[in-house]
Amino acid sequence: MADIQQGGAGMDFDLSQFYQIFFEEAAENLDQMEQMLLGLDVNAVNDEELNGIFRCAHSIKGGSATFGFSDVAELTHHMESLLDRLRRHELQLIPQMVDVLLESADASRSLLARHQAGGQGEAPSTRELVSSISELATGGQGMAPVPSFAAPPAQPVPQAGPAPAPTPAPAPAPAAPAAAAVPAGAPASTGERALEIHVGPLPQPALADAIKELFRDIPGLGRIADLDDERPGMRRFAVHTSSSDEDLLDLFVFHVAKEQVAIRPAGESAPSSAPPEDTAPAAALQEPYGLFDGAPGMPASPPPQASPAAAARAPAARPAGEGKAAASSMESTTIRVAVSKVDQLINLVGELVITQAMLAQNSRDLDAGVYQQLLAGLADLDRNTRDLQESVMSIRMIPMSTVFNRFPRMLRDLAGKLGKKVDFVTHGEATELDKSLVEKITDPLTHLVRNSCDHGIEMPEERLAAGKPEHGTLSLSASHQGGSIVIEVRDDGKGLSREKILRKARERGMDVSDSMADGEVWNLILAPGFSTAEVVTDVSGRGVGMDVVKKNITALGGSIEIDSAEGYGMRVAVRLPLTLAIMDGMSLGVGEEVYILPLSSVVESFQIDPQQVNTVAQGSQLVKVREEYMPVVSLERIFQVPRPQSSTSNNIMVVVEADGSRVAVLVDELLGQHQVVVKNLETNYRKVPNVSGATILGDGTVALILDTGALVRRARH
């Protein structure tokens, strides 16, 4: 443990408690860096974009050095050096630089994943990457590579319980000769400002020395020199720089807290006279750089009256109080919570929904006049339970942009490997989906995007010969439709060839005919092992992919629809439920059994005369609804529901829609609409045809939730 002394009292400070936060923030920085790198226009570089990429690399470097992950710190330090020369226009951006920076981001992600796993496995070598970066950073002049970033040896991340934390900062190093030679009052060069930087109080001198190393490691940042400071634990520097106060604080933040740094114009430093010895502790608390300001148990004291001179200086200085207020307001807008805690909360809300349904069912026969207050309370409970359920479910809903952002990089690399030119377009990135579904839909979408790029988009010369633009377009969109989310992958490539698919199907011995509808022909590519690729490559052609896509989407309670026009392109639409936890359902009675239909798929219901139901070939039934014949699905037949001799059928039809088709479900009665908690039947029992899950009713019995997609497909075939 690192032992921090403050006011003569020691306390243990374990950096390992911040590991997870660092890994999450580093991952966010790497994702942001990758997006900005992919968005760079090599011919018209935006300075703000380069500054943003530089800040991401610097944040990762500073955090890695603080926690002792020297391999990550060294790699990102070299990236930072190249980016710094680019943003200062000392080098011209070329595509090779973007490539090597993207590769370095991938390597950093791998190194961080290894540290997060406790240092298990062999670390990937970054020697070639560092050499490439150094060569590009020197303009290919053969100069010596950028010096390595000194960081303490990496420590394995603790898997459980507290563990010794690595040294929080690099060992003290002498300042660069140029910086040390700067006198306090030396005139600044054009565009530079003369500043005094006060740091402290600090538990370790190395933390302030790390700031001096920044001026040595980052070319063009400026010059720094030590100044005397008699206050205990304080360090004072003379600095000449063209950077703003905000930029300097952003650079310092991974070595010392913002509250420990005060930046003032040279000559406007705080009074040098030390406070009387007996008041020193209280005075230290009033300094704007206290490490433990506002800690529990600290005495509250009013701020001292500022003198006129101090008031005149106030706009130039950056009091820590302002930074602290800004930081606290930023932190209050978001909070990091473990997914397991959210899942536990959703499970508890699910149990609450079941209990509320039980109370509602048991109170149906109560006299409204006698139990008016009780029934009013139950109505409030019903409304509040629904609001609580919607609020809790929204916590798990995350935007589709988290999935879409994975593809620009993958598509860039794949198009480069295939020699194709592809533009990637996204729509509906803000559309939200349950977190569990987002994680499970990523792989199927990856297959679809790769297939569109490999099989769909033609080579540039083929597109030009066909009168198309040289660049193909691949679009990914998401939208809400009823109680489902529809994700579409489109391309303007050559589309599917009906003739080629039928020929391949016959070669594999599949039962096909020339009279098949286009939709049925397109669905053949979802068969296991089916592929129309003439050559097997490392991208595709083995017949593995589309069948896996269908299997994964079906397992999520979703469906897949393919549409294509030869020569014009292809569209694959994936329809998924918004959530797998709680939904609105309609209870149906068949005999003495109860079934649940997802309310989002219910179109209408009506009573039917048995004479209006027509029987056609092979015993199939049709019903005429407003000049449209619709297949009839009898739940009594499908689930072989026993019917007592005394019971009679009410012949109620419920029209449901799925996969763009409608069927009429024949039931005995409609029992009502209410929220149901979806339980996975396959996990607790086994896979049951035409059933997507189960739920617990208010009386404690179990009801099956019907799979409307399966019912529609059954009627169709």
Side-chain angles (χ1 to χ4, degrees):
M1 298 285 184
D3 190 39
I4 294 183
Q5 301 289 333
Q6 173 73 7
M11 79 167 57
D12 289 335
F13 191 75
D14 183 9
L15 281 180
S16 62
Q17 61 185 307
F18 302 114
Y19 278 166
Q20 190 57 36
I21 295 176
F22 163 69
F23 286 128
E24 291 176 1
E25 291 182 347
E28 291 172 1
N29 277 312
L30 285 170
D31 290 341
Q32 186 179 358
M33 181 192 301
E34 184 174 284
Q35 291 176 33
M36 288 190 287
L37 283 168
L38 291 172
L40 281 178
D41 184 352
V42 179
N43 299 318
V45 183
N46 184 293
D47 287 348
E48 187 54 41
E49 291 176 345
L50 287 176
N51 285 329
I53 299 170
F54 174 86
R55 284 193 293 270
C56 290
H58 180 75
S59 296
I60 299 169
K61 183 196 80 169
S64 302
T66 299
F67 290 108
F69 305 141
S70 56
D71 47 2
V72 182
E74 181 172 359
L75 178 58
T76 50
H77 174 69
H78 285 78
M79 296 169 64
E80 186 185 54
S81 300
L82 173 58
L83 288 165
D84 187 62
R85 295 203 66 186
L86 286 171
R87 69 178 187 150
R88 295 179 186 279
H89 304 289
E90 296 174 6
L91 291 174
Q92 177 68 36
L93 181 66
I94 56 176
Q96 290 89 333
M97 292 178 179
V98 178
D99 293 338
V100 77
L101 288 170
L102 285 170
E103 291 177 22
S104 300
D106 290 342
S108 299
R109 190 177 276 111
S110 299
L111 292 170
L112 286 169
R114 178 176 174 272
H115 289 302
Q116 192 172 14
Q120 299 175 358
E122 186 177 352
S125 174
T126 58
R127 183 176 301 174
E128 292 185 7
L129 271 176
V130 169
S131 176
S132 299
I133 296 172
S134 298
E135 184 176 350
L136 290 169
T138 56
Q141 301 300 318
M143 296 170 60
V146 181
S148 297
F149 181 82
Q155 299 288 335
V157 178
Q159 298 302 307
T167 306
V182 180
S189 62
T190 305
E192 286 191 346
R193 301 178 299 143
L195 302 173
E196 279 192 16
I197 297 181
H198 299 252
V199 182
L202 298 174
Q204 298 176 6
L207 293 176
D209 290 330
I211 289 181
K212 293 170 63 176
E213 287 193 356
L214 290 174
F215 287 82
R216 184 192 67 186
D217 293 336
I218 302 177
L221 180 58
R223 298 161 292 165
I224 188 169
D226 286 298
L227 294 176
D228 294 334
D229 197 322
E230 298 178 357
R231 292 172 295 175
M234 301 297 299
R235 296 287 294 273
R236 191 160 63 104
F237 303 105
V239 171
H240 289 82
T241 181
S242 56
S243 300
S244 66
D245 292 358
E246 289 77 11
D247 288 342
L248 291 175
L249 283 170
D250 287 342
L251 290 175
F252 301 163
V253 73
F254 274 104
H255 297 300
V256 294
K258 283 187 178 182
E259 292 80 7
Q260 295 174 267
V261 181
I263 302 175
R264 300 184 177 91
E268 294 190 7
S269 57
S272 58
S273 57
E277 191 170 3
D278 57 344
T279 63
L285 292 175
Q286 295 170 3
E287 286 288 348
Y289 0 86
L291 182 61
F292 300 103
D293 286 358
M298 296 296 274
S301 57
Q305 285 295 103
S307 66
R313 288 200 300 268
R318 183 179 176 85
E322 294 178 8
K324 196 179 295 182
S328 62
S329 65
M330 244 167 56
E331 290 172 1
S332 64
T333 59
T334 58
I335 183 172
R336 292 182 185 272
V337 179
V339 175
S340 59
K341 290 185 178 181
V342 179
D343 290 341
Q344 183 182 9
L345 182 61
I346 289 176
N347 289 335
L348 290 173
V349 170
E351 296 301 321
L352 179 62
V353 169
I354 293 173
T355 304
Q356 184 272 326
M358 189 178 301
L359 291 172
Q361 181 164 329
N362 293 335
S363 64
R364 286 177 181 171
D365 299 329
L366 294 179
D367 188 336
V370 178
Y371 298 100
Q372 181 180 1
Q373 191 171 356
L374 173 61
L375 293 175
L378 289 174
D380 289 341
L381 176 63
D382 182 21
R383 184 176 63 256
N384 293 335
T385 301
R386 180 175 292 274
D387 291 343
L388 177 62
Q389 177 260 324
E390 291 177 355
S391 298
V392 171
M393 293 307 301
S394 68
I395 296 175
R396 278 184 63 97
M397 305 296 279
I398 59 178
M400 285 298 297
S401 58
T402 57
V403 179
F404 288 3
N405 289 341
R406 300 169 185 254
F407 296 116
R409 172 69 189 284
M410 184 200 80
L411 201 57
R412 177 183 185 272
D413 295 343
L414 184 59
K417 181 184 294 186
L418 297 173
K420 297 181 178 181
K421 297 181 179 180
V422 183
D423 292 332
F424 184 60
V425 181
T426 58
H427 303 282
E429 301 94 327
T431 306
E432 292 186 329
L433 184 63
D434 188 273
K435 178 177 173 25
S436 61
L437 291 175
V438 165
E439 294 170 347
K440 294 172 183 174
I441 195 62
T442 301
D443 284 345
L445 286 182
T446 301
H447 279 295
L448 293 177
V449 171
R450 289 173 66 89
N451 274 357
S452 288
C453 183
D454 185 26
H455 295 294
I457 305 293
E458 309 97 330
M459 297 295 287
E461 54 273 16
E462 292 180 44
R463 293 183 62 85
L464 291 173
K468 294 183 178 181
E470 186 179 25
H471 286 253
T473 301
L474 196 157
S475 65
L476 199 56
S477 64
S479 61
H480 284 154
Q481 295 183 13
S484 305
I485 183 172
V486 177
I487 305 169
E488 290 188 349
V489 181
R490 293 174 178 262
D491 67 72
D492 63 347
K494 57 189 174 185
L496 295 176
S497 170
R498 178 186 173 94
E499 181 183 346
K500 182 183 288 188
I501 292 175
L502 289 174
R503 186 176 71 249
K504 287 282 184 180
R506 291 190 178 97
E507 290 175 3
R508 298 184 69 243
M510 299 174 68
D511 184 16
V512 296
S513 68
D514 292 333
S515 61
M516 292 175 63
D518 283 347
E520 295 177 342
V521 174
W522 308 148
N523 285 332
L524 292 175
I525 68 173
L526 300 174
F530 194 94
S531 176
T532 58
E534 303 295 341
V535 180
V536 176
T537 67
D538 60 344
V539 177
S540 64
R542 295 179 176 84
V544 178
M546 293 301 289
D547 62 316
V548 176
V549 170
K550 181 181 178 182
K551 179 180 178 182
N552 290 349
I553 291 172
T554 303
L556 296 175
S559 60
I560 183 169
E561 177 186 336
I562 301 174
D563 189 18
S564 179
E566 190 169 0
Y568 292 94
M570 174 179 170
R571 177 184 70 91
V572 180
V574 175
R575 185 181 296 269
L576 293 170
L578 284 179
T579 179
L580 296 179
I582 302 174
M583 70 175 188
D584 288 316
M586 175 178 282
S587 301
L588 312 172
V590 181
E592 296 183 354
E593 301 294 328
V594 177
Y595 297 92
I596 307 292
L597 268 177
L599 194 59
S600 59
S601 62
V602 175
V603 178
E604 61 178 326
S605 60
F606 54 87
Q607 201 159 5
I608 192 73
D609 186 334
Q611 302 299 325
Q612 294 177 272
V613 179
N614 303 308
T615 302
V616 293
Q618 299 178 344
S620 299
Q621 292 181 314
L622 295 176
V623 63
K624 189 176 183 180
V625 182
R626 288 190 292 275
E627 306 304 320
E628 177 187 356
Y629 282 97
M630 197 175 295
V632 175
V633 175
S634 173
L635 296 184
E636 182 179 354
R637 292 183 182 179
I638 292 176
F639 296 107
Q640 300 178 0
V641 180
R643 185 180 296 279
Q645 296 293 332
S646 58
S647 67
T648 57
S649 171
N650 289 326
N651 295 323
I652 293 177
M653 294 281 187
V654 180
V655 178
V656 297
E657 184 175 21
D659 299 345
S661 301
R662 294 184 177 185
V663 298
V665 180
L666 182 62
V667 300
D668 290 352
E669 57 181 330
L670 305 180
L671 301 178
Q673 302 174 12
H674 52 88
Q675 288 182 306
V676 295
V677 180
V678 182
K679 302 291 184 181
N680 191 318
L681 193 62
E682 190 171 357
T683 302
N684 298 290
Y685 177 55
R686 62 180 174 85
K687 179 69 175 176
V688 178
N690 307 306
V691 172
S692 61
T695 189
I696 301 174
L697 300 176
D699 59 0
T701 59
V702 175
L704 298 179
I705 301 172
L706 300 178
D707 184 347
T708 53
L711 293 177
V712 169
R713 288 190 294 272
R714 177 189 178 94
R716 186 185 297 161
H717 292 298

